């Protein structure tokens, strides 16, 4: 059996198209991750644009200025200090009547470049997030926050979830009572106090996880001929007539395909995670996911969120690997198998939902649509199945696990029952 598995692995990886796809995607990932580092840009206190590792160091320094647990007392004190600094030179009432662009210009007229740089530290936007209105400058938000509001910072943070449930994704989805209870309980399970700080490496893993879609396509290219090539070449007449052609050989093909898919996705994931942690740092694994997005209701850390997203891509990869094997066992055209995979993996990411909630939830299950932070961790995507509610993460696991469980025996059964012409 082991020799058959190795033989099948060698056969599938020796094909020129498979070799080109596998090597090409690895080279692409290395290049894109290197560019990701080189093209990272930010500004320093003087307004100069810096890039690369200097920009990463600058972003780390900005986050570390305000690192630490954000207790209720700290939140209230920090907001009060921010307001005192702002409104020592700005008119609080006047700021609320101005446009965002006018306030931005006023900031540079009233403060030095270095002071403006500190007042626009991302921490302040994050801290004021519970009350921010779209298009507002931080100073405008701060002008509306009273000491009583600041003293109930965690209450205001919890309201972000309730507000999102009330809005129903812009009117696209009406949450059931079971869904509202599910998300409310999820939000209540978030440990307090939330820890703020630098988690650049894990943030970058989340931001780049979508590139693993190309790895999934390479897996599909490699596995597409597994059975169909036997039909095309006429080898099925020989293979199926052998003593183990309808039993052990079929199992060897399936095991070899899944082993390859696992190894290849792990390699590609290692490239993304490796580049991110080497250049951006592994700091902040244990920071609250709310330090990345305060509105997220998940009781996870930044590092756990990154690993969950990579894990979801692995589950999807296995699902598509099994589907490809099943299609290959049913179709004599390798091209038809691969085109089906391309439609499901890539083109589903281009289909607009048109504001239809059910369609949006179906599309969210495909890798290009959920492979970013906001959709799985902030968008409150849920699937009510009677009294049971699954979030997007649980639904992706369930769908692709079911796809693998159905497709794998189908692939074996179809090839065994194939009648040679």
């Amino acid at each position: 059996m082991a020799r058959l598995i190795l033989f099948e692995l060698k056969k599938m990886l020796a094909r020129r198209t498979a070799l080109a796809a596998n090597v090409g995607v690895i080279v692409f990932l290395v290049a894109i991750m290197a560019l990701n580092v080189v093209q990272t840009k930010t500004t320093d206190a003087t307004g100069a644009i810096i890039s690369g590792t200097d920009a990463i160091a600058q972003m780390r320094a900005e986050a570390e200025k305000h690192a630490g647990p954000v207790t209720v007392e700290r939140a209230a004190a920090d907001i009060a200090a921010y307001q005192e600094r702002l409104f020592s030179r700005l008119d609080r009432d006047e700021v609320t009547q101005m446009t965002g662009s006018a306030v931005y210009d006023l900031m540079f007229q009233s403060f030095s470049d270095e002071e403006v740089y500190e007042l626009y530290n991302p921490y302040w936007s994050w801290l004021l997030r519970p009350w921010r209105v779209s298009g507002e400058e931080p100073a405008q938000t701060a002008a509306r926050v009273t000491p009583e509001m600041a003293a109930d910072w965690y209450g205001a943070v919890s309201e972000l979830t309730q507000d999102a449930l009330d809005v129903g994704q812009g009117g696209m989805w009406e949450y059931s009572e079971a869904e509202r209870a599910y998300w409310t309980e999820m939000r209540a399970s978030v440990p307090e106090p939330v820890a703020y700080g630098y988690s650049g490496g894990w943030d970058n893993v989340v931001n780049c996880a979508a590139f693993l879609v190309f790895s999934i396509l390479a897996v599909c290219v490699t596995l597409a001929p597994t059975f169909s090539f036997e039909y095309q070449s006429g080898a099925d007449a020989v293979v199926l007539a052998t003593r183990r052609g309808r039993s052990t050989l079929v199992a060897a093909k399936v095991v070899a395909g899944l082993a390859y898919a696992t190894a290849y996705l792990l390699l590609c994931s290692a490239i993304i995670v490796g580049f991110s942690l080497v250049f951006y740092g592994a700091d902040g694994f244990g920071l609250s996911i709310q330090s990345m997005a305060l509105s997220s209701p998940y009781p996870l850390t930044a590092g756990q969120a990154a690993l969950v997203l990579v894990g979801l891509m692995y589950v999807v990869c296995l699902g598509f690997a099994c589907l490809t094997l099943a299609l290959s066992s049913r179709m004599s055209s390798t091209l038809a198998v691969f085109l089906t995979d391309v439609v499901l993996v890539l083109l589903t990411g281009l289909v607009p939902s048109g504001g239809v909630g059910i369609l949006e939830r179906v599309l969210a299950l495909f890798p290009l649509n959920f492979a970013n932070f906001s959709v799985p961790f902030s968008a409150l995507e849920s699937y009510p199945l009677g009294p049971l509610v699954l979030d997007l993460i649980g639904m992706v696991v369930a769908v692709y696990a079911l796809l693998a469980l159905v497709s794998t025996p189908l692939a074996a059964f179809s090839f065994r029952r194939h009648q040679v012409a």
Side-chain angles (χ1 to χ4, degrees):
M1 181 66 171
R3 293 181 64 183
L4 274 177
I5 293 173
L6 290 175
F7 174 74
E8 289 298 328
L9 278 171
K10 181 180 178 180
K11 188 165 68 171
M12 69 173 61
L13 295 174
R15 295 187 179 100
R16 291 181 180 178
T17 53
L19 185 62
N22 285 282
V23 174
V25 167
I26 289 174
V27 171
F28 167 77
L29 287 178
V30 170
I32 205 70
M33 293 306 295
L35 286 173
N36 175 258
V37 174
V38 172
Q39 295 182 347
T40 298
K41 296 183 184 299
T42 189
T43 57
D44 61 17
T46 64
I49 298 176
I50 54 178
S51 59
T53 54
D54 291 337
I56 294 170
Q58 183 69 24
M59 291 187 291
R60 181 197 297 270
E62 289 176 8
E64 288 178 346
K65 287 180 182 178
H66 302 280
V70 181
T71 61
V72 174
E73 294 76 17
R74 175 186 166 180
D78 283 359
I79 290 172
Y82 187 66
Q83 291 172 324
E84 182 179 359
R85 189 171 181 186
L86 277 173
F87 303 123
S88 64
R89 302 186 196 178
L90 302 179
D91 185 286
R92 187 167 185 161
D93 294 329
E94 182 182 357
V95 164
T96 60
Q97 304 302 317
M98 299 170 67
T99 63
S101 58
V103 172
Y104 183 77
D105 293 337
L106 183 61
M107 291 288 291
F108 281 94
Q109 296 171 16
S110 306
F111 298 93
S112 67
D113 289 350
E114 289 77 8
E115 289 174 318
V116 170
Y117 182 78
E118 171 52 31
L119 291 169
Y120 274 93
N121 187 297
Y123 172 70
W124 302 116
S125 295
W126 178 85
L127 189 64
L128 296 168
R129 171 67 179 86
W131 306 284
R132 185 176 63 82
V133 176
S134 179
E136 269 191 342
E137 290 292 305
Q140 293 175 293
T141 306
R144 293 188 291 102
V145 178
T146 65
E148 292 75 21
M149 293 164 65
D152 188 32
W153 189 74
Y154 277 102
V157 171
S158 296
E159 279 302 310
L160 291 173
T161 299
Q162 297 306 314
D163 291 344
L165 293 172
D166 292 340
V167 172
Q169 296 181 321
M172 183 171 60
W173 185 260
E174 184 175 350
Y175 291 96
S176 66
E177 289 302 316
E179 288 176 284
R180 295 183 71 95
Y182 175 85
W183 289 117
T184 300
E185 291 174 11
M186 179 81 78
R187 176 75 244 186
S189 68
V190 174
E192 298 177 6
V194 169
Y196 184 83
Y198 178 78
S199 57
W202 304 108
D203 293 3
N204 200 62
V205 172
V206 170
N207 294 331
C208 296
F211 291 122
L212 289 175
V213 166
F214 295 100
S215 306
I216 295 173
L217 284 177
V219 168
C220 294
V221 169
T222 304
L223 298 183
T226 302
F227 295 106
S228 61
F229 183 77
E230 310 288 7
Y231 306 150
Q232 287 178 329
S233 64
D236 56 335
V238 177
V239 170
L240 292 172
T242 62
R243 182 167 60 91
R244 296 191 292 178
R246 295 180 185 270
S247 56
T248 309
L249 180 61
V250 179
K253 285 179 177 290
V254 172
V255 172
L258 296 182
Y260 151 74
T262 297
Y264 189 72
L265 195 87
L266 286 176
L267 174 60
C268 293
S269 299
I271 293 172
I272 290 176
V273 175
F275 265 87
S276 298
L277 300 188
V278 167
F279 289 98
Y280 289 84
D283 316 45
F285 181 93
L287 288 179
S288 311
I289 192 177
Q290 286 70 34
S291 66
M292 301 165 68
L294 193 57
S295 61
S296 176
Y298 282 86
L300 298 172
T301 67
Q304 288 170 344
L307 297 181
V308 164
L309 197 51
V310 172
L312 285 181
M313 296 301 284
Y314 172 64
V315 171
V316 172
C317 181
L318 287 185
F320 272 106
C322 294
L323 176 64
T324 302
L325 291 173
L327 293 172
S328 180
S329 71
R330 303 289 296 180
M331 300 179 181
S332 59
S333 171
T334 299
L335 180 60
V337 175
F338 178 61
L339 287 179
T340 303
D341 288 326
V342 168
V343 169
L344 294 175
V345 176
L346 282 184
L347 298 188
T348 48
L350 305 177
V351 178
S353 64
V356 180
I358 294 178
L359 177 59
E360 192 273 340
R361 272 159 171 69
V362 171
L363 293 173
L365 295 172
F366 292 94
L368 266 184
N369 295 320
F370 74 72
N372 62 72
F373 181 89
S374 61
V375 175
F377 297 116
S378 297
L380 305 189
E381 298 275 359
S382 52
Y383 300 79
L385 307 173
L388 176 67
V389 176
L390 290 180
D391 64 357
L392 179 59
I393 296 172
M395 197 64 174
V396 167
V397 172
V399 166
Y400 287 96
L402 180 62
L403 180 63
L405 291 174
V406 171
S407 298
T408 303
L410 177 62
F413 179 81
S414 297
F415 189 68
R416 286 171 181 169
R417 296 294 181 179
H418 176 69
Q419 298 298 317
V420 180

